[in-house]
Amino acid sequence: MTERYDCHYCKESLFGKKYVLREENPYCVKCYESLYSNTCEECKKPIGCNSRDLSYKDRHWHEDCFHCFQCKRSLVDKPFSTKDEQLLCTECYSNEYSSKCHECKKTIMPGSRKMEHKGNSWHETCFTCQRCQQPIGTKSFIPKDNHNYCVPCYEKQFAMQCVHCKKPITTGGVTYHDQPWHKDCFLCTGCKQQLSGQRFTSRDDFAYCLNCFCNLYAKKCASCTTPISGLGGSKYISFEERQWHNDCFNCKKCSVSLVGRGFLTERDDILCPECGKDM
């Protein structure tokens, strides 16, 4: 007696019929499709055993239904993109959603390399220096007047040159006597410290920090012997080729300030009229 070979679900004989094995159990085509076939996203009909089932992110399509939402061209074995769960061929997606090149105005295709700056996009080959027309790529660049320049071209065309080292000044800088300097080049003639950001003065067109200028050129106070800078509005007293800080111009004996008052001299000393009575 021949052993029966029946559909696991409806129990009808499968002899002489097509069937499908699932987990080692045989099913007639009708039962298998009813129980296990996926539903096509496009036409909402089951995808039968005789049809190719195309899937993407747990969604399924008949081969004939797997096409671009806009142009209806088949996407079988072709690259595609999705937007709002709709399938789009690369061309339609690019025309609708991809960035446009700021230079040539053409679409920047998905997957191609693009350059971005301040909200604008370029094809890599379109992002070029305005002066030399060479692609900038990942190199540093400087924007000016809606154009981009590689650093060497910008320096040649626009940057001021330091009066000291003759090299371009690309960032920052100091102006002295209407001439541009790098901050690192604008130094005290005496101690060679940077003068940028601090008070300084000059003599014979040479710049000096206050310490060097006072040590080299300022007159010395007759009382404390330290330099009198006279800079920044500071006041001093001058008498017979001698100078005093305002705070140092005091009576030698009683130390009262003599600023704005009469005084007497005794050799190198200065005295108030009261102390000078005994002279």
Side-chain angles (χ1 to χ4, degrees), residues 4 9 14 17 35 37 84 115 124 127 140 146 164 172 174-175 192 198 222 226 228 231 258 278:
R4 291 184 60 82
Y9 186 75
L14 295 176
K17 298 178 182 179
L35 293 170
S37 288
D84 299 329
M115 314 303 292
E124 186 177 19
F127 191 62
S140 298
N146 295 322
H164 177 73
V174 176
T175 299
K192 306 305 179 184
Q198 64 171 302
T226 59
I228 300 173
L231 300 172
L258 299 177
D278 301 330

Coordinates of all heavy atoms in Angstrom, one line a residue, residues 4 9 14 17 35 37 84 115 124 127 140 146 164 172 174-175 192 198 222 226 228 231 258 278:
R4 N 0.5 7.8 2.0 CA -0.1 9.0 1.6 C 0.9 10.2 1.8 O 1.7 10.2 2.7 CB -1.4 9.3 2.4 CG -2.5 8.3 2.1 CD -3.8 8.7 2.8 NE -4.2 10.0 2.5 CZ -5.0 10.3 1.4 NH1 -5.3 9.3 0.6 NH2 -5.4 11.5 1.2
Y9 N -1.8 21.3 5.8 CA -2.9 22.1 6.3 C -4.3 21.6 5.9 O -5.1 21.3 6.8 CB -2.8 23.5 5.8 CG -3.8 24.5 6.4 CD1 -3.6 25.0 7.7 CD2 -4.8 25.0 5.6 CE1 -4.6 25.8 8.2 CE2 -5.8 25.8 6.1 CZ -5.6 26.3 7.4 OH -6.6 27.1 8.0
L14 N -1.1 15.3 -2.3 CA -0.2 16.1 -3.1 C 0.4 15.3 -4.2 O 1.2 15.9 -5.0 CB 0.9 16.6 -2.2 CG 0.5 17.6 -1.1 CD1 1.7 18.0 -0.2 CD2 -0.1 18.9 -1.6
K17 N 0.9 16.8 -7.8 CA 0.7 18.3 -7.7 C 2.0 19.0 -7.2 O 2.8 18.4 -6.6 CB -0.4 18.6 -6.7 CG -1.8 18.0 -7.1 CD -2.8 18.3 -6.0 CE -4.2 17.7 -6.3 NZ -5.2 18.0 -5.3
L35 N -1.5 31.0 3.6 CA -1.0 31.1 4.9 C 0.3 32.0 5.0 O 0.5 32.7 6.0 CB -0.6 29.7 5.5 CG -1.8 28.8 5.7 CD1 -1.3 27.3 6.0 CD2 -2.7 29.2 6.9
S37 N 2.2 33.7 2.1 CA 2.6 34.6 1.1 C 2.6 36.1 1.6 O 1.7 36.4 2.4 CB 1.8 34.5 -0.2 OG 2.1 33.3 -0.8
D84 N 9.6 59.4 2.4 CA 8.2 59.2 2.9 C 7.6 57.9 2.5 O 6.5 57.7 2.1 CB 7.3 60.3 2.4 CG 7.7 61.7 2.8 OD1 8.3 61.8 3.9 OD2 7.5 62.7 2.1
M115 N 31.1 69.5 -1.4 CA 31.7 70.4 -0.5 C 30.6 71.4 -0.1 O 29.8 71.8 -0.8 CB 32.8 71.2 -1.2 CG 33.8 70.3 -2.0 SD 34.6 69.0 -1.1 CE 35.6 69.9 0.0
E124 N 32.6 68.5 -6.0 CA 34.0 68.6 -5.6 C 34.9 69.3 -6.6 O 35.7 70.1 -6.3 CB 34.6 67.2 -5.3 CG 36.0 67.2 -4.7 CD 36.5 65.8 -4.4 OE1 36.0 64.8 -4.8 OE2 37.5 65.7 -3.6
F127 N 34.2 73.2 -6.8 CA 34.7 74.0 -5.6 C 36.1 74.4 -5.9 O 37.0 73.7 -5.4 CB 34.5 73.2 -4.3 CG 34.6 74.1 -3.1 CD1 33.8 75.2 -2.8 CD2 35.7 73.8 -2.2 CE1 33.9 75.9 -1.7 CE2 35.8 74.6 -1.0 CZ 34.9 75.7 -0.8
S140 N 42.8 74.5 3.2 CA 42.2 75.7 3.7 C 41.9 76.7 2.6 O 42.6 76.7 1.6 CB 43.3 76.3 4.7 OG 43.5 75.4 5.8
N146 N 32.0 86.8 -2.0 CA 31.2 85.7 -2.6 C 32.0 84.8 -3.5 O 31.5 84.0 -4.3 CB 30.0 86.2 -3.4 CG 29.0 87.0 -2.6 OD1 28.7 86.6 -1.4 ND2 28.5 88.0 -3.1
H164 N 58.1 94.5 8.3 CA 59.4 94.0 8.9 C 59.9 92.7 8.2 O 61.0 92.7 7.7 CB 59.2 93.7 10.4 CG 60.3 93.0 11.0 ND1 61.5 93.8 11.4 CD2 60.6 91.8 11.5 CE1 62.4 93.0 11.9 NE2 61.8 91.7 12.0
G172 N 44.9 89.1 12.0 CA 45.3 90.0 12.9 C 46.3 91.0 12.3 O 46.2 91.4 11.2
V174 N 49.1 94.6 13.3 CA 49.2 95.8 14.0 C 49.6 96.9 12.9 O 50.4 96.7 12.0 CB 50.3 95.8 15.1 CG1 50.5 97.1 15.7 CG2 50.0 94.7 16.1
T175 N 49.0 98.1 13.1 CA 49.4 99.2 12.2 C 50.1 100.2 13.1 O 49.6 100.7 14.1 CB 48.1 99.9 11.6 OG1 47.4 98.9 10.8 CG2 48.5 101.0 10.7
K192 N 63.0 93.5 22.8 CA 62.5 92.6 21.8 C 61.2 91.9 22.3 O 60.8 90.9 21.7 CB 63.5 91.5 21.4 CG 64.9 92.1 21.0 CD 64.7 93.1 19.8 CE 66.0 93.7 19.4 NZ 65.8 94.7 18.3
Q198 N 50.0 96.3 24.6 CA 50.5 97.1 25.8 C 50.9 98.5 25.3 O 51.1 98.8 24.2 CB 51.7 96.4 26.4 CG 52.9 96.2 25.5 CD 54.1 95.7 26.2 OE1 54.6 96.3 27.2 NE2 54.7 94.6 25.8
A222 N 65.2 113.7 40.9 CA 66.3 114.2 41.8 C 66.1 113.6 43.2 O 67.1 113.6 43.9 CB 66.3 115.7 41.8
T226 N 64.5 107.3 40.2 CA 63.9 106.5 39.2 C 63.4 107.3 38.1 O 63.2 108.6 38.2 CB 62.7 105.7 39.8 OG1 61.7 106.7 40.3 CG2 63.1 104.8 40.9
I228 N 61.5 109.4 35.2 CA 60.2 110.2 35.1 C 59.8 110.0 33.6 O 60.4 110.6 32.7 CB 60.4 111.6 35.4 CG1 61.0 111.8 36.8 CG2 59.1 112.4 35.2 CD1 61.4 113.2 37.2
L231 N 54.7 110.1 30.6 CA 53.7 109.5 29.6 C 52.4 109.3 30.3 O 52.3 109.2 31.5 CB 54.2 108.1 29.1 CG 55.6 108.1 28.4 CD1 56.0 106.7 28.2 CD2 55.4 108.9 27.1
L258 N 55.6 120.4 48.2 CA 55.9 121.7 47.8 C 55.3 122.0 46.4 O 55.5 123.1 45.8 CB 57.4 121.9 47.7 CG 58.2 121.8 49.0 CD1 59.7 122.0 48.8 CD2 57.7 122.8 50.0
D278 N 65.8 129.0 58.9 CA 67.0 128.8 59.7 C 68.3 128.8 58.8 O 69.4 128.5 59.3 CB 67.0 127.5 60.5 CG 65.8 127.4 61.4 OD1 65.4 128.5 61.9 OD2 65.3 126.3 61.7

